[in-house]
Amino acid sequence: MRTIYLDNNSTTRVAPEVFAAMEPYWREQFGNPSSLHRAGQAARHAVETAREQVAALIGARPRDIVFTSGGTEADNLAILGTLAAAPTKRHIVTTAVEHVAVHGLCERLVREGYRVTFLEVDPFGRLDPARLERALDDDTAIASIMYANNETGVILPVETCAEICAARGVPLHVDAVQAAGKLPIDAPGLGTALMTLSAHKIHGPKGAGALYVGRRARLRSVHVGGHQERDIRPGTENVPAIVGFGAAARLAAERLAGGTWQGVAALRDRLERGVTGQVPFARVIGDREHRTPNTTNIGFESLEAEAILIALSEQGVCASSGSACSSGSLEPSHVLKAMGIEERIAHGAVRLSLSCETTEEEIDEAVGVIVSVVKRLASLSAVTG
Ligand code: PLP
């Protein structure tokens, strides 16, 4: 049975050209970039080339890119590093719909005595920037607002948020993990202090990410060690993964320039139409105007997402949900809760996320599978009450 992979917001397939670029750095090119000899310098050169490629994806200067072990570490470094550099400030502003790398960290910071404002969103997942304006005060050390949501694809108004933060002298961190490569981004033009990127969402390897550290950022490292990555992120660089990240960033920039995503958005819309047209109890969650081109989140009323995902997987369709299985009961994600989605819809919410590799044939087949699975589950739950 073939697999129809519609879970690209979780991770993407490593592109063949990315794999090819990485391969020598697992074999003969094994030098440490900090070594002065030729083996080390070859690795240094590869890391610096990757830095240029990643910087180019977001219009940044190569020196503003700090490589990390992924998006999670970059998010943590952005917030904890800024707090460490501004020890007298005790207030953080973020949204209620951030990825757990930001949301969970902010919840921990509350327990440690920080004041955190979690900005509310509307039922479409939209943020009113006026909420940010009202939340900032003289004690605010940082604001952290994602570019696009991982569960719904909804795009937040980061440009206006950056202007508001700049006017108040508050550094802004933007988690752009789900936006980079899908939307044109100009980090310096945006005026954000910090921006998080992750390689494995753009057909690069897992375990590689970056933090853009712009002119407005004041950051202290949170780890102690060598002088790598401008003393901001010590530790010997993961050279093969960084090389792969660079190759993936280059590929993403080419695809972005080539207009590939318009085709992906058309397929996503075809998927949505196909499902909602045949399933009366299906509802698209989130703002359909402003979202990433590859994502849809569909709530199937009165069904359990876990049952849907297992049944889809048995038929070769890979999708996911934002729900976490805790103590046997499925808790709707904090994102859908924050949007105020009714429980009977949030429990049955399934995220389908496409890539540039998704084909029309796959979408049509997936529609058939999804429709038959949810109709079967609905008839079962009607029988069992
Ligand atoms: N931020 C967002 C919005 C994400 O979607 C993810 C991953 O799903 C992360 C951060 C974490 O990135 P990583 O998996 O590279 O740690």
Side-chain angles (χ1 to χ4, degrees), residues 6-353:
L6 297 178
D7 198 16
N8 288 281
N9 283 10
S10 290
T11 198
T12 55
R13 183 175 81 107
V14 171
E17 52 267 65
V18 169
F19 185 75
M22 291 170 71
E23 211 178 356
Y25 297 89
W26 289 115
R27 295 173 186 266
E28 62 272 17
Q29 302 276 23
F30 60 85
N32 183 326
S34 298
S35 302
L36 287 177
H37 48 64
R38 61 168 71 184
Q41 287 314 294
R44 166 60 51 211
H45 180 70
V47 168
E48 295 316 316
T49 301
R51 202 184 305 282
E52 286 167 19
Q53 292 166 325
V54 171
L57 184 61
I58 56 165
R61 300 180 304 175
R63 71 177 307 272
D64 294 336
I65 297 296
V66 171
F67 286 118
T68 66
S69 67
T72 300
E73 188 193 335
D75 281 344
N76 276 255
L77 175 59
I79 295 172
L80 294 174
T82 301
L83 293 178
T88 57
K89 302 208 179 218
R90 307 290 292 172
H91 180 227
I92 300 151
V93 179
T94 188
T95 78
V97 293
E98 298 296 310
H99 185 269
V100 281
V102 169
H103 193 80
L105 173 63
C106 287
E107 284 182 326
R108 177 194 280 199
L109 290 168
V110 170
R111 293 194 291 277
E112 291 176 2
Y114 283 90
R115 199 159 51 85
V116 180
T117 305
F118 294 92
L119 302 173
E120 287 174 20
V121 296
D122 74 7
F124 294 97
R126 296 177 299 206
L127 172 70
D128 177 358
R131 287 185 185 274
L132 170 67
E133 187 140 39
R134 287 196 295 272
L136 299 178
D137 62 35
D138 293 342
D139 196 30
T140 310
I142 185 168
S144 185
I145 294 174
M146 70 195 328
Y147 208 122
N149 186 267
N150 42 301
E151 290 183 34
T152 59
V154 173
I155 297 167
L156 277 74
V158 285
E159 215 162 303
T160 314
C161 291
E163 281 166 21
I164 292 168
C165 285
R168 291 296 301 259
V170 172
L172 174 67
H173 165 241
V174 172
D175 178 341
V177 167
Q178 295 292 346
K182 296 177 192 136
L183 309 170
I185 298 180
D186 171 11
L190 189 65
T192 184
L194 300 149
M195 181 178 281
T196 291
L197 306 172
S198 175
H200 73 109
K201 312 289 185 181
I202 57 167
H203 301 279
K206 295 161 189 63
L211 185 63
Y212 159 80
V213 182
R215 288 192 182 86
R216 294 178 199 271
R218 297 285 168 272
L219 209 63
R220 267 194 73 180
S221 69
V222 291
H223 295 109
V224 179
H227 295 294
Q228 293 91 349
E229 298 300 293
R230 288 167 52 201
D231 283 330
I232 294 173
R233 203 282 190 167
T236 303
E237 300 88 341
N238 184 351
V239 178
I242 289 171
V243 168
F245 190 7
R250 196 176 73 168
L251 177 65
E254 281 167 12
R255 285 176 166 169
L256 204 50
T260 313
W261 290 102
Q262 282 142 22
V264 179
L267 286 182
R268 186 267 318 271
D269 295 346
R270 184 182 177 93
L271 171 66
E272 246 170 24
R273 271 197 314 273
V275 174
T276 55
Q278 296 177 71
V279 181
F281 53 91
R283 193 180 110 189
V284 175
I285 296 171
D287 182 4
R288 294 169 83 161
E289 290 270 306
H290 301 102
R291 50 178 180 164
T292 47
N294 74 319
T295 309
T296 179
N297 192 314
I298 306 182
F300 296 98
E301 200 176 327
S302 304
L303 296 186
E304 285 290 348
E306 196 187 31
I308 302 172
L309 297 180
I310 291 168
L312 289 180
S313 174
E314 280 167 2
Q315 309 264 340
V317 175
C318 299
S320 84
S321 77
S323 307
C325 193
S326 58
S327 63
S329 72
L330 274 181
E331 267 293 296
S333 80
H334 71 274
V335 173
L336 301 188
K337 266 191 184 169
M339 290 166 69
I341 305 295
E342 305 100 287
E343 288 225 344
R344 62 180 208 291
I345 290 168
H347 275 292
V350 172
R351 179 186 71 187
L352 300 148
S353 47

